[in-house]
Amino acid sequence: MSSEKLIYLPLGGAGEIGMNAYVYGYGKEGEERLILVDLGVTFSDMETSPGVDLIFPDMTWLVENKDRLEAVFITHGHEDHVGAVGHFWEDLGVPVYARVFTAALARHKMKDRGAPEAEVITVDAWPDMTKAGPFNVGFLPVSHSIPESAALVIDSPAGRVIHSGDFKLDETPVVGEPFDKDLWKEVSKDGVKALVCDSTNVFSLHPGRSEASVGREIEALVSEAPHMVVATTFASNVARVKTLAEAGERAGRSICLMGRAMRRMIETAVETGVLDSFPKVVSIEDARAIPRQDLMLLVTGSQGERRAASAQLARGKYNGMTLKEGDMFLFSSKTIPGNERGVIRIMNQFSEMGVEVVDDHEGRYHVSGHANRPDLEALQDIVNPQMVIPNHGEHRHLRQHAKISEARGRQSIVAVNGTMVDLSGNAPKVAGFVETGRTYLDGAVKIGALDGVVRDRIRMALNGHLVVNVILDEDDEPLGEAWCEIKGLPEQGRSFAPLLDVLEEDLTQFLGRAADKTLANDDKLEEELRRIARNTCNDEIGRKPEVTVIVSRLS
């Protein structure tokens, strides 16, 4: 029996939707040569990560083993697959391979972080393959909601693995390559050891719909609108942006793109040849002079992002443009779980303006970019893998996908982030675990989830903050009274006296009776002052705030 193994290790994207990062390795245990598939981000929210800009997978294990890493391969250009490339290239220091459109987006990411754009290498689609240590990797075209998406064919001495990436079975995708069943059969005919597969829509029981099916519905909606039309979708869904723009053009409207991400995505699609045509667009400056009934805005912010164009329009104005009563706002998108609150907030703000809000609750103006359960089953039948490893999903998605695969006679396993799976034998088995988690981009600095920064910020947000100041002289005697500053706390408590006055009185009384050994020891003094301050606040306002104690000594 060979001592060399083929391993699969998700660091992000397995047990969650977002920040995808999947390691494959081949070799002797602990010496495997590695490749990384995708390196993405997810986005913060005020409830769990206030103030955080982006969230990355914890790459500590891979950085510690970067001497074994051969390359990074990016399946497609969505942020949750390519968004962290620039942030981690310096830590990993290996070439990044992607197809033309995705490579252009990856170079933008590298440039934004001051990383070398030349390290992103453009590759052609199957049958071309790239050698990376013991692996040969090919990009197998697949349809998705962004152009030039690819599954990866990963060959090693242990056999062939197909990493599906994000995909759907769409033969008329509007932009990008249609799903080619015959090509997938050809690639799979000599046997596939494992299909590592997207699980996002495993609970959707009807076959997926084609991107081409939404065009007529959108065109009818836009043509009947009496006033200005504004539509939002994922900026990366180039096919949908084109469909929206063409619907507006056919309705006799001028088209204006609003939002940096949307403009960049369309420009990149044109530059790389992904889009061979796109309706003429007008600048924001020109749009302001066009009669409202003759204008259609395509804007960013379909997920309720506070700084995107949609949210700013909902708050009143964006780049000089405003919405008025009778205008229509179309969400040609699905709300990602967790973003509902932000999207509903925007809908209500528009409603208060008298704007007609149209969403996709009936499925008329959006189709998913991910395979539904019947499509997942169809792909398994096409590829006929020995085993199926579910990825790209929350735990419930992975578990359901594994159950479906096993019911169809294929070996499967639920492998969440940090689970190292041995694919070498006839069935997947757990080979070990590595510590994983999240890394936050907080301003310009990457911080660990266990560093305490975000935890302290949440505590302050929940409980408020109190600063206690005391001064002691050369003999360790209090010099004057204690004084306090409060943030995020009521000014008056149950006693109807100002909270600051009550706090300062209690703390000053303590200083007057404190033992000499307490006054001489900073740690003991801070501990007692913090305890009294929190207890006083609890008595007065029913809350124990975060307390910072500053002890100053005269020398």
Side-chain angles (χ1 to χ4, degrees), residues 124-169:
D124 292 328
W126 183 269
D128 283 12
M129 299 194 80
T130 300
K131 184 167 177 57
F135 296 101
N136 276 305
V137 181
F139 286 74
L140 185 61
V142 70
S143 47
H144 184 41
S145 56
I146 190 171
E148 284 196 345
S149 296
L152 296 182
V153 180
I154 303 172
D155 286 344
S156 75
R160 173 163 288 183
V161 172
I162 295 182
H163 182 103
S164 78
D166 294 5
F167 79 99
K168 63 184 296 186
L169 306 186

Side-chain angles (χ1 to χ4, degrees), residues 289-416:
I290 295 172
R292 304 177 67 79
Q293 69 272 17
D294 297 331
L295 184 63
M296 182 173 181
L297 309 179
L298 303 182
V299 303
T300 55
S302 67
Q303 299 304 300
E305 302 94 322
R306 293 188 63 84
R307 289 181 289 184
S310 295
Q312 295 196 51
L313 285 169
R315 291 196 292 270
K317 182 182 290 188
Y318 180 65
N319 282 344
M321 301 296 296
T322 59
L323 270 69
K324 297 182 179 180
E325 186 169 354
D327 291 341
M328 184 177 73
F329 193 99
L330 168 63
F331 284 87
S332 181
S333 55
K334 176 185 177 182
T335 302
I336 296 172
N339 295 340
E340 295 91 348
R341 186 177 299 175
V343 172
I344 291 172
R345 181 180 62 247
I346 289 174
M347 288 181 174
N348 282 319
Q349 287 171 317
F350 282 137
S351 181
E352 290 168 7
M353 297 177 184
V355 173
E356 180 185 358
V357 178
V358 180
D359 65 13
D360 194 55
H361 67 278
E362 295 180 351
R364 296 171 64 186
Y365 308 115
H366 175 69
V367 292
S368 175
H370 296 271
N372 293 350
R373 175 172 170 173
D375 308 313
L376 294 173
E377 293 173 339
L379 188 72
Q380 286 191 26
D381 291 342
I382 292 168
V383 175
N384 193 26
Q386 185 175 346
M387 57 188 87
V388 176
I389 313 298
N391 73 343
H392 203 286
E394 298 169 357
H395 193 281
R396 62 195 180 97
H397 297 95
L398 307 186
R399 186 168 181 267
Q400 183 68 16
H401 198 172
K403 287 172 63 177
I404 291 168
S405 302
E406 289 169 348
R408 299 175 70 82
R410 297 184 175 93
Q411 299 286 337
S412 192
I413 193 172
V414 175
V416 297

Side-chain angles (χ1 to χ4, degrees), residues 173-175 211-212 214-216 218-220 222-223 231 238-257 266 275-281 296 298:
V174 179
V175 175
E211 179 64 33
V214 300
R216 290 186 298 275
I218 291 173
E219 187 171 339
V222 173
S223 65
V238 173
R240 184 68 48 74
V241 177
K242 182 181 181 183
T243 295
L244 289 164
E246 289 177 342
E249 183 181 56
R250 281 193 282 269
R253 295 174 180 268
S254 296
I255 309 301
C256 179
L257 301 179
I266 296 302
L275 272 180
D276 55 10
S277 65
F278 192 83
K280 181 182 178 182
V281 299
M296 182 173 181
L298 303 182

Side-chain angles (χ1 to χ4, degrees), residues 189-253:
K189 68 178 183 179
D190 293 329
V192 173
K193 177 172 280 290
L195 172 64
V196 180
C197 194
D198 179 5
S199 306
T200 310
N201 283 356
V202 69
F203 291 109
S204 297
L205 301 182
H206 55 82
R209 292 164 54 216
S210 171
E211 179 64 33
S213 68
V214 300
R216 290 186 298 275
E217 296 281 1
I218 291 173
E219 187 171 339
L221 182 72
V222 173
S223 65
E224 295 170 5
H227 301 292
M228 186 167 74
V229 174
V230 185
T232 186
T233 189
F234 300 98
S236 59
N237 193 340
V238 173
R240 184 68 48 74
V241 177
K242 182 181 181 183
T243 295
L244 289 164
E246 289 177 342
E249 183 181 56
R250 281 193 282 269
R253 295 174 180 268

Side-chain angles (χ1 to χ4, degrees), residues 33-36 62 66-73 85 88-97 110 116 119-121:
R33 303 305 298 177
L34 310 172
I35 59 172
L36 176 65
L62 191 60
K66 68 179 182 180
D67 59 314
R68 297 197 275 141
L69 182 64
E70 300 282 353
V72 177
F73 294 87
V85 165
F88 283 100
W89 184 85
E90 188 173 349
D91 296 323
L92 301 176
V94 295
V96 178
Y97 294 94
M110 298 285 271
E119 289 296 328
V120 178
I121 299 170

